PDB file of all heavy atoms in Angstrom:
ATOM      1  N   LEU A 173     -40.256  -7.132  57.628  1.00  0.00           N
ATOM      2  CA  LEU A 173     -40.984  -7.479  58.843  1.00  0.00           C
ATOM      3  C   LEU A 173     -40.590  -6.520  59.961  1.00  0.00           C
ATOM      4  O   LEU A 173     -39.405  -6.336  60.248  1.00  0.00           O
ATOM      5  CB  LEU A 173     -40.669  -8.930  59.248  1.00  0.00           C
ATOM      6  CG  LEU A 173     -41.404  -9.471  60.469  1.00  0.00           C
ATOM      7  CD1 LEU A 173     -42.914  -9.472  60.259  1.00  0.00           C
ATOM      8  CD2 LEU A 173     -40.924 -10.888  60.802  1.00  0.00           C
ATOM      9  N   ALA A 179     -43.946  -5.412  68.295  1.00  0.00           N
ATOM     10  CA  ALA A 179     -44.061  -6.556  67.388  1.00  0.00           C
ATOM     11  C   ALA A 179     -43.491  -7.798  68.065  1.00  0.00           C
ATOM     12  O   ALA A 179     -44.078  -8.873  68.030  1.00  0.00           O
ATOM     13  CB  ALA A 179     -43.326  -6.274  66.083  1.00  0.00           C
ATOM     14  N   ASN A 180     -42.350  -7.618  68.713  1.00  0.00           N
ATOM     15  CA  ASN A 180     -41.723  -8.743  69.401  1.00  0.00           C
ATOM     16  C   ASN A 180     -42.552  -9.234  70.581  1.00  0.00           C
ATOM     17  O   ASN A 180     -42.599 -10.419  70.870  1.00  0.00           O
ATOM     18  CB  ASN A 180     -40.314  -8.365  69.860  1.00  0.00           C
ATOM     19  CG  ASN A 180     -39.310  -8.485  68.722  1.00  0.00           C
ATOM     20  OD1 ASN A 180     -38.966  -9.575  68.305  1.00  0.00           O
ATOM     21  ND2 ASN A 180     -38.893  -7.354  68.174  1.00  0.00           N
ATOM     22  N   ASN A 182     -45.628  -9.244  70.654  1.00  0.00           N
ATOM     23  CA  ASN A 182     -46.811  -9.911  70.119  1.00  0.00           C
ATOM     24  C   ASN A 182     -46.476 -11.136  69.265  1.00  0.00           C
ATOM     25  O   ASN A 182     -47.234 -11.501  68.373  1.00  0.00           O
ATOM     26  CB  ASN A 182     -47.657  -8.924  69.321  1.00  0.00           C
ATOM     27  CG  ASN A 182     -48.450  -8.019  70.229  1.00  0.00           C
ATOM     28  OD1 ASN A 182     -49.226  -8.470  71.059  1.00  0.00           O
ATOM     29  ND2 ASN A 182     -48.226  -6.725  70.112  1.00  0.00           N
ATOM     30  N   GLY A 183     -45.320 -11.692  69.486  1.00  0.00           N
ATOM     31  CA  GLY A 183     -45.029 -12.968  68.833  1.00  0.00           C
ATOM     32  C   GLY A 183     -44.303 -12.878  67.509  1.00  0.00           C
ATOM     33  O   GLY A 183     -44.429 -13.758  66.658  1.00  0.00           O
ATOM     34  N   ARG A 184     -43.518 -11.839  67.333  1.00  0.00           N
ATOM     35  CA  ARG A 184     -42.810 -11.701  66.073  1.00  0.00           C
ATOM     36  C   ARG A 184     -41.834 -12.846  65.822  1.00  0.00           C
ATOM     37  O   ARG A 184     -41.644 -13.275  64.690  1.00  0.00           O
ATOM     38  CB  ARG A 184     -42.039 -10.389  66.058  1.00  0.00           C
ATOM     39  CG  ARG A 184     -41.220 -10.195  64.807  1.00  0.00           C
ATOM     40  CD  ARG A 184     -40.224  -9.075  64.963  1.00  0.00           C
ATOM     41  NE  ARG A 184     -39.596  -8.772  63.695  1.00  0.00           N
ATOM     42  CZ  ARG A 184     -38.496  -9.370  63.239  1.00  0.00           C
ATOM     43  NH1 ARG A 184     -37.923 -10.317  63.943  1.00  0.00           N
ATOM     44  NH2 ARG A 184     -37.991  -9.030  62.067  1.00  0.00           N
ATOM     45  N   LYS A 185     -41.210 -13.305  66.897  1.00  0.00           N
ATOM     46  CA  LYS A 185     -40.131 -14.276  66.746  1.00  0.00           C
ATOM     47  C   LYS A 185     -40.603 -15.523  65.987  1.00  0.00           C
ATOM     48  O   LYS A 185     -39.929 -15.988  65.063  1.00  0.00           O
ATOM     49  CB  LYS A 185     -39.591 -14.657  68.118  1.00  0.00           C
ATOM     50  CG  LYS A 185     -38.217 -15.249  68.043  1.00  0.00           C
ATOM     51  CD  LYS A 185     -37.573 -15.369  69.400  1.00  0.00           C
ATOM     52  CE  LYS A 185     -36.205 -16.028  69.242  1.00  0.00           C
ATOM     53  NZ  LYS A 185     -35.649 -16.393  70.532  1.00  0.00           N
ATOM     54  N   ALA A 186     -41.769 -16.029  66.376  1.00  0.00           N
ATOM     55  CA  ALA A 186     -42.274 -17.239  65.714  1.00  0.00           C
ATOM     56  C   ALA A 186     -42.551 -16.953  64.239  1.00  0.00           C
ATOM     57  O   ALA A 186     -42.315 -17.802  63.367  1.00  0.00           O
ATOM     58  CB  ALA A 186     -43.539 -17.711  66.409  1.00  0.00           C
ATOM     59  N   VAL A 187     -43.036 -15.744  63.972  1.00  0.00           N
ATOM     60  CA  VAL A 187     -43.333 -15.367  62.583  1.00  0.00           C
ATOM     61  C   VAL A 187     -42.047 -15.289  61.767  1.00  0.00           C
ATOM     62  O   VAL A 187     -41.960 -15.832  60.651  1.00  0.00           O
ATOM     63  CB  VAL A 187     -44.092 -14.019  62.546  1.00  0.00           C
ATOM     64  CG1 VAL A 187     -44.310 -13.567  61.110  1.00  0.00           C
ATOM     65  CG2 VAL A 187     -45.410 -14.126  63.291  1.00  0.00           C
ATOM     66  N   SER A 188     -41.035 -14.641  62.338  1.00  0.00           N
ATOM     67  CA  SER A 188     -39.785 -14.479  61.577  1.00  0.00           C
ATOM     68  C   SER A 188     -39.139 -15.842  61.340  1.00  0.00           C
ATOM     69  O   SER A 188     -38.605 -16.102  60.265  1.00  0.00           O
ATOM     70  CB  SER A 188     -38.826 -13.524  62.290  1.00  0.00           C
ATOM     71  OG  SER A 188     -38.415 -14.061  63.517  1.00  0.00           O
ATOM     72  N   LYS A 189     -39.194 -16.700  62.353  1.00  0.00           N
ATOM     73  CA  LYS A 189     -38.633 -18.060  62.206  1.00  0.00           C
ATOM     74  C   LYS A 189     -39.306 -18.792  61.047  1.00  0.00           C
ATOM     75  O   LYS A 189     -38.647 -19.457  60.243  1.00  0.00           O
ATOM     76  CB  LYS A 189     -38.854 -18.846  63.502  1.00  0.00           C
ATOM     77  CG  LYS A 189     -37.855 -18.498  64.588  1.00  0.00           C
ATOM     78  CD  LYS A 189     -36.907 -19.686  64.860  1.00  0.00           C
ATOM     79  CE  LYS A 189     -35.643 -19.244  65.566  1.00  0.00           C
ATOM     80  NZ  LYS A 189     -35.859 -19.038  67.014  1.00  0.00           N
ATOM     81  N   THR A 190     -40.637 -18.668  60.980  1.00  0.00           N
ATOM     82  CA  THR A 190     -41.368 -19.353  59.913  1.00  0.00           C
ATOM     83  C   THR A 190     -41.001 -18.781  58.547  1.00  0.00           C
ATOM     84  O   THR A 190     -40.791 -19.536  57.593  1.00  0.00           O
ATOM     85  CB  THR A 190     -42.884 -19.233  60.144  1.00  0.00           C
ATOM     86  OG1 THR A 190     -43.165 -19.625  61.474  1.00  0.00           O
ATOM     87  CG2 THR A 190     -43.657 -20.108  59.177  1.00  0.00           C
ATOM     88  N   PHE A 191     -40.935 -17.465  58.462  1.00  0.00           N
ATOM     89  CA  PHE A 191     -40.514 -16.857  57.190  1.00  0.00           C
ATOM     90  C   PHE A 191     -39.163 -17.428  56.767  1.00  0.00           C
ATOM     91  O   PHE A 191     -38.962 -17.801  55.615  1.00  0.00           O
ATOM     92  CB  PHE A 191     -40.405 -15.332  57.333  1.00  0.00           C
ATOM     93  CG  PHE A 191     -41.680 -14.591  57.024  1.00  0.00           C
ATOM     94  CD1 PHE A 191     -42.173 -13.626  57.895  1.00  0.00           C
ATOM     95  CD2 PHE A 191     -42.393 -14.833  55.857  1.00  0.00           C
ATOM     96  CE1 PHE A 191     -43.348 -12.934  57.619  1.00  0.00           C
ATOM     97  CE2 PHE A 191     -43.561 -14.139  55.560  1.00  0.00           C
ATOM     98  CZ  PHE A 191     -44.036 -13.191  56.451  1.00  0.00           C
ATOM     99  N   GLU A 192     -38.241 -17.481  57.712  1.00  0.00           N
ATOM    100  CA  GLU A 192     -36.891 -17.960  57.394  1.00  0.00           C
ATOM    101  C   GLU A 192     -36.918 -19.419  56.955  1.00  0.00           C
ATOM    102  O   GLU A 192     -36.270 -19.798  55.985  1.00  0.00           O
ATOM    103  CB  GLU A 192     -35.971 -17.794  58.610  1.00  0.00           C
ATOM    104  CG  GLU A 192     -35.593 -16.345  58.866  1.00  0.00           C
ATOM    105  CD  GLU A 192     -34.556 -16.185  59.978  1.00  0.00           C
ATOM    106  OE1 GLU A 192     -34.551 -17.024  60.896  1.00  0.00           O
ATOM    107  OE2 GLU A 192     -33.787 -15.208  59.914  1.00  0.00           O
ATOM    108  N   LYS A 193     -37.691 -20.211  57.686  1.00  0.00           N
ATOM    109  CA  LYS A 193     -37.732 -21.643  57.395  1.00  0.00           C
ATOM    110  C   LYS A 193     -38.353 -21.881  56.011  1.00  0.00           C
ATOM    111  O   LYS A 193     -37.806 -22.616  55.186  1.00  0.00           O
ATOM    112  CB  LYS A 193     -38.544 -22.345  58.480  1.00  0.00           C
ATOM    113  CG  LYS A 193     -38.384 -23.854  58.469  1.00  0.00           C
ATOM    114  CD  LYS A 193     -39.058 -24.491  59.683  1.00  0.00           C
ATOM    115  CE  LYS A 193     -39.774 -25.752  59.273  1.00  0.00           C
ATOM    116  NZ  LYS A 193     -41.215 -25.692  59.395  1.00  0.00           N
ATOM    117  N   GLU A 194     -39.471 -21.211  55.771  1.00  0.00           N
ATOM    118  CA  GLU A 194     -40.189 -21.451  54.514  1.00  0.00           C
ATOM    119  C   GLU A 194     -39.425 -20.901  53.315  1.00  0.00           C
ATOM    120  O   GLU A 194     -39.437 -21.486  52.243  1.00  0.00           O
ATOM    121  CB  GLU A 194     -41.589 -20.822  54.575  1.00  0.00           C
ATOM    122  CG  GLU A 194     -42.499 -21.436  55.618  1.00  0.00           C
ATOM    123  CD  GLU A 194     -42.919 -22.870  55.263  1.00  0.00           C
ATOM    124  OE1 GLU A 194     -43.106 -23.145  54.063  1.00  0.00           O
ATOM    125  OE2 GLU A 194     -43.058 -23.692  56.192  1.00  0.00           O
ATOM    126  N   PHE A 199     -32.912 -13.572  57.700  1.00  0.00           N
ATOM    127  CA  PHE A 199     -33.237 -12.167  57.491  1.00  0.00           C
ATOM    128  C   PHE A 199     -32.004 -11.385  57.044  1.00  0.00           C
ATOM    129  O   PHE A 199     -30.898 -11.658  57.475  1.00  0.00           O
ATOM    130  CB  PHE A 199     -33.846 -11.549  58.758  1.00  0.00           C
ATOM    131  CG  PHE A 199     -35.341 -11.658  58.765  1.00  0.00           C
ATOM    132  CD1 PHE A 199     -35.954 -12.825  59.145  1.00  0.00           C
ATOM    133  CD2 PHE A 199     -36.115 -10.597  58.318  1.00  0.00           C
ATOM    134  CE1 PHE A 199     -37.336 -12.947  59.105  1.00  0.00           C
ATOM    135  CE2 PHE A 199     -37.492 -10.716  58.267  1.00  0.00           C
ATOM    136  CZ  PHE A 199     -38.112 -11.896  58.669  1.00  0.00           C
ATOM    137  N   PRO A 223     -47.843  -8.649  64.942  1.00  0.00           N
ATOM    138  CA  PRO A 223     -46.714  -8.284  64.079  1.00  0.00           C
ATOM    139  C   PRO A 223     -47.188  -7.955  62.659  1.00  0.00           C
ATOM    140  O   PRO A 223     -48.135  -8.577  62.170  1.00  0.00           O
ATOM    141  CB  PRO A 223     -45.869  -9.560  64.058  1.00  0.00           C
ATOM    142  CG  PRO A 223     -46.431 -10.473  65.085  1.00  0.00           C
ATOM    143  CD  PRO A 223     -47.834 -10.057  65.320  1.00  0.00           C
ATOM    144  N   LEU A 235     -49.776 -10.890  61.836  1.00  0.00           N
ATOM    145  CA  LEU A 235     -49.190 -12.097  61.254  1.00  0.00           C
ATOM    146  C   LEU A 235     -49.022 -13.189  62.298  1.00  0.00           C
ATOM    147  O   LEU A 235     -48.786 -12.924  63.467  1.00  0.00           O
ATOM    148  CB  LEU A 235     -47.838 -11.760  60.623  1.00  0.00           C
ATOM    149  CG  LEU A 235     -47.903 -10.846  59.414  1.00  0.00           C
ATOM    150  CD1 LEU A 235     -46.505 -10.414  58.996  1.00  0.00           C
ATOM    151  CD2 LEU A 235     -48.616 -11.526  58.254  1.00  0.00           C
ATOM    152  N   THR A 236     -49.165 -14.409  61.841  1.00  0.00           N
ATOM    153  CA  THR A 236     -48.911 -15.586  62.678  1.00  0.00           C
ATOM    154  C   THR A 236     -47.998 -16.501  61.877  1.00  0.00           C
ATOM    155  O   THR A 236     -47.850 -16.308  60.666  1.00  0.00           O
ATOM    156  CB  THR A 236     -50.222 -16.341  62.957  1.00  0.00           C
ATOM    157  OG1 THR A 236     -50.816 -16.669  61.691  1.00  0.00           O
ATOM    158  CG2 THR A 236     -51.196 -15.501  63.761  1.00  0.00           C
ATOM    159  N   PRO A 237     -47.397 -17.483  62.529  1.00  0.00           N
ATOM    160  CA  PRO A 237     -46.569 -18.430  61.761  1.00  0.00           C
ATOM    161  C   PRO A 237     -47.372 -19.068  60.622  1.00  0.00           C
ATOM    162  O   PRO A 237     -46.854 -19.242  59.522  1.00  0.00           O
ATOM    163  CB  PRO A 237     -46.169 -19.468  62.808  1.00  0.00           C
ATOM    164  CG  PRO A 237     -46.197 -18.741  64.098  1.00  0.00           C
ATOM    165  CD  PRO A 237     -47.311 -17.739  63.982  1.00  0.00           C
ATOM    166  N   PHE A 238     -48.633 -19.359  60.884  1.00  0.00           N
ATOM    167  CA  PHE A 238     -49.479 -19.955  59.846  1.00  0.00           C
ATOM    168  C   PHE A 238     -49.576 -19.041  58.630  1.00  0.00           C
ATOM    169  O   PHE A 238     -49.385 -19.463  57.482  1.00  0.00           O
ATOM    170  CB  PHE A 238     -50.876 -20.221  60.425  1.00  0.00           C
ATOM    171  CG  PHE A 238     -51.818 -20.864  59.455  1.00  0.00           C
ATOM    172  CD1 PHE A 238     -51.801 -22.234  59.254  1.00  0.00           C
ATOM    173  CD2 PHE A 238     -52.730 -20.090  58.721  1.00  0.00           C
ATOM    174  CE1 PHE A 238     -52.662 -22.823  58.349  1.00  0.00           C
ATOM    175  CE2 PHE A 238     -53.581 -20.678  57.812  1.00  0.00           C
ATOM    176  CZ  PHE A 238     -53.555 -22.049  57.621  1.00  0.00           C
ATOM    177  N   ARG A 239     -49.836 -17.749  58.901  1.00  0.00           N
ATOM    178  CA  ARG A 239     -49.937 -16.774  57.801  1.00  0.00           C
ATOM    179  C   ARG A 239     -48.613 -16.652  57.062  1.00  0.00           C
ATOM    180  O   ARG A 239     -48.576 -16.526  55.830  1.00  0.00           O
ATOM    181  CB  ARG A 239     -50.328 -15.399  58.355  1.00  0.00           C
ATOM    182  CG  ARG A 239     -51.798 -15.159  58.524  1.00  0.00           C
ATOM    183  CD  ARG A 239     -52.553 -15.200  57.213  1.00  0.00           C
ATOM    184  NE  ARG A 239     -52.409 -13.999  56.398  1.00  0.00           N
ATOM    185  CZ  ARG A 239     -52.368 -14.003  55.072  1.00  0.00           C
ATOM    186  NH1 ARG A 239     -52.442 -15.136  54.414  1.00  0.00           N
ATOM    187  NH2 ARG A 239     -52.261 -12.876  54.396  1.00  0.00           N
ATOM    188  N   ALA A 240     -47.521 -16.671  57.834  1.00  0.00           N
ATOM    189  CA  ALA A 240     -46.205 -16.509  57.204  1.00  0.00           C
ATOM    190  C   ALA A 240     -45.955 -17.617  56.192  1.00  0.00           C
ATOM    191  O   ALA A 240     -45.509 -17.350  55.071  1.00  0.00           O
ATOM    192  CB  ALA A 240     -45.114 -16.491  58.267  1.00  0.00           C
ATOM    193  N   SER A 241     -46.302 -18.870  56.562  1.00  0.00           N
ATOM    194  CA  SER A 241     -46.038 -19.937  55.596  1.00  0.00           C
ATOM    195  C   SER A 241     -47.013 -19.843  54.426  1.00  0.00           C
ATOM    196  O   SER A 241     -46.650 -20.145  53.285  1.00  0.00           O
ATOM    197  CB  SER A 241     -46.063 -21.316  56.263  1.00  0.00           C
ATOM    198  OG  SER A 241     -47.220 -21.477  57.016  1.00  0.00           O
TER     199      SER A 241
END
Side-chain angles (χ1 to χ4, degrees):
Chain A
L173 183 61
N180 279 288
N182 283 303
R184 177 194 189 272
K185 200 168 178 191
V187 176
S188 65
K189 281 248 161 79
T190 309
F191 270 131
E192 287 186 330
K193 194 172 139 246
E194 296 291 325
F199 269 81
L235 294 172
T236 56
F238 181 83
R239 274 297 283 145
S241 51

